Structure formats: structure tokens, C-alpha cells
Amino acid sequence: MPNSTVDEIRSALAALEDPKARAVNERHGDAHGVNLSKLRAVAKRAGMSTDLARSLWATDEVAAQLVALLVAKPRELSADEIDGMLRSTRSAKAHDWLVSYIAKKSPLAEELRLRWIDDPDADARAAAWSLTSVRVQKTPEGLDLDALLDRIERELRDAPSREQWAMNETLAYIGIHHPALRERAVAIGERLQVLADYPVPPNCTSPFAPAWIAEMVRRQG
């Protein structure tokens, strides 16, 4: 499907629609019924094209928007375009993919992080915290980690779920990657007990920050 048109991709996605998959997806905030492996195959056949991605996004159809996120080239999207995409998505999966595949890989990631970190919209703040976690792990120079912990301590317990999850990740990453702040990060997690009771399958790491930190530090040896 090289040089695919929007109509060709929409037709391919429509042919893959599964009512049972839609029912499951809609319970998780995603209004589409396409198996994600098959959706990725559609995107792979279409090939990378940011112009195509823009047109797919404009359909306002969740499956088409997911394909858009797979075929877009992050460096070809402006900060305003990425911001607009974040605010217009109606899909939990599209939000996650937008952050992971576009915002994190964009050369404008820091500009977006600063734009979103104090945004009135909780989903925008969640995206900012996800970008903050990347910096905490990979490029912490210039970050005020103590100030981040101050804010996490104030806001984590009552944050909306998506923002809470992303903020909790930042808390854990500070504890994992910055030994001087590890004790404080663990203490904050212990005091707030956010995600302490989150169900975790066997052999998986708990998202509860103190447990997460302890396990990752153990693996580091």
C-alpha cells in the first residue's frame, strides 16, 4: 500500500473492524475495533508520510489517528501541531502513542514539556510528566529534582489518574537514577501509598514507587 490515500487506509481499517474487539477497546477508552497488530501492518504498508498522517488525523476516527501516529515523522511536526493533536484526541491509546511516538521523539520535546507542565488540562500535564521522566533518566542536567519532588509530594495523591500515573513514574525514576534523592523518593511513596494496591501479575514489577525503586536498584546490582 505504498503512497496510500486516506480513503484506502480507511477502507483497510474498516475491513479489519471486529465488533468484539471494539467492545473491549471502548471499555478502555478507545472507540475502534481493529487489532493493533493488524493496524500496525496497515501503517507499515502505507509507509512514512507526515502529510498522510495529518490527513488521517483530520478524519477524527480513532483507528485512522492511530495509523497517523505510526506514519508521522516527529521532526516534521511543529509544537503547535503536536499540541493540537494532544488536545483533540478522544482515545487513551492515541494519547499514549502520541506521547511515546511523537512527543518523546520530537526535537521539540523540551519545549512541549515546558508548555504542558502547568497546563489547566490534566492530560497535557500527564504528557509533560512523561517527558519529564525521560529527562530524569537521560538528561537531568538543569532539572531541579528537589522541586519536582516537592510538587509530586503535594499533588500526586489527588492527581487525575493519567497524570497520577505519569507523575508516579517521575517519582520512581528519580529514586532509581539519582541515589542522593532515593531515600526521599521512597519516603514520599511510602507516605502517599499511591498505587500500593495495584494488581500486578507474577514476575512483573509493581508500579508502587518504593517497590519499583527497590526492584530496579536490585537489578542494577
Side-chain angles (χ1 to χ4, degrees):
M1 200 191 296
N3 301 315
S4 302
T5 67
V6 171
D7 287 343
E8 287 171 340
I9 291 174
R10 292 175 71 201
S11 294
L13 293 171
L16 295 171
E17 178 76 18
D18 178 349
K20 292 182 179 178
R22 177 175 283 273
V24 172
N25 289 338
E26 286 185 343
R27 288 200 295 272
H28 294 91
D30 293 296
H32 76 91
V34 182
N35 174 279
L36 291 181
S37 294
K38 294 178 180 178
L39 185 146
R40 288 180 182 276
V42 170
K44 185 175 182 179
R45 291 197 301 273
M48 301 298 290
S49 169
T50 304
D51 286 339
L52 176 60
R54 291 185 178 105
S55 298
L56 288 169
W57 194 269
T59 67
D60 199 34
E61 297 170 0
V62 171
Q65 290 187 336
L66 290 173
V67 173
L69 295 169
L70 294 173
V71 302
K73 298 177 182 179
R75 66 177 51 256
E76 294 180 357
L77 292 166
S78 70
D80 285 344
E81 284 182 295
I82 298 171
D83 180 79
M85 293 167 75
L86 181 82
R87 296 180 194 282
S88 63
T89 181
R90 299 173 291 104
S91 157
K93 182 63 69 177
H95 179 280
D96 292 344
W97 283 14
L98 176 64
V99 173
S100 295
Y101 300 158
I102 304 297
K104 287 183 179 180
K105 296 181 179 180
S106 170
L108 305 172
E110 181 63 7
E111 178 182 337
L112 292 166
R113 188 185 77 84
L114 295 174
R115 177 185 291 208
W116 291 334
I117 195 65
D118 292 313
D119 198 277
D121 181 67
D123 286 348
R125 296 195 303 272
W129 283 106
S130 292
L131 294 174
T132 300
S133 290
V134 174
R135 282 211 54 195
V136 165
Q137 182 181 16
K138 296 181 178 180
T139 56
E141 297 78 13
L143 283 180
D144 187 337
L145 298 177
D146 282 303
L148 287 175
L149 288 176
D150 289 344
R151 180 166 175 179
I152 290 168
E153 192 165 17
R154 290 193 308 269
E155 300 178 12
L156 179 62
R157 192 200 306 266
D158 298 321
S161 59
R162 180 176 282 136
E163 182 184 12
Q164 184 184 73
W165 189 272
M167 191 183 297
N168 182 73
E169 180 185 61
T170 301
L171 173 63
Y173 277 22
I174 291 173
I176 293 164
H177 297 284
H178 299 276
L181 294 171
R182 184 170 297 152
E183 183 176 345
R184 185 183 176 200
V186 169
I188 290 170
E190 292 286 5
R191 184 160 55 255
L192 298 182
Q193 290 291 298
V194 169
L195 300 177
D197 298 324
Y198 192 85
V200 180
N203 302 318
C204 291
T205 302
S206 171
F208 178 49
W212 187 355
I213 293 167
E215 174 59 20
M216 298 311 293
V217 171
R218 183 191 68 79
R219 293 183 192 180
Q220 291 171 3

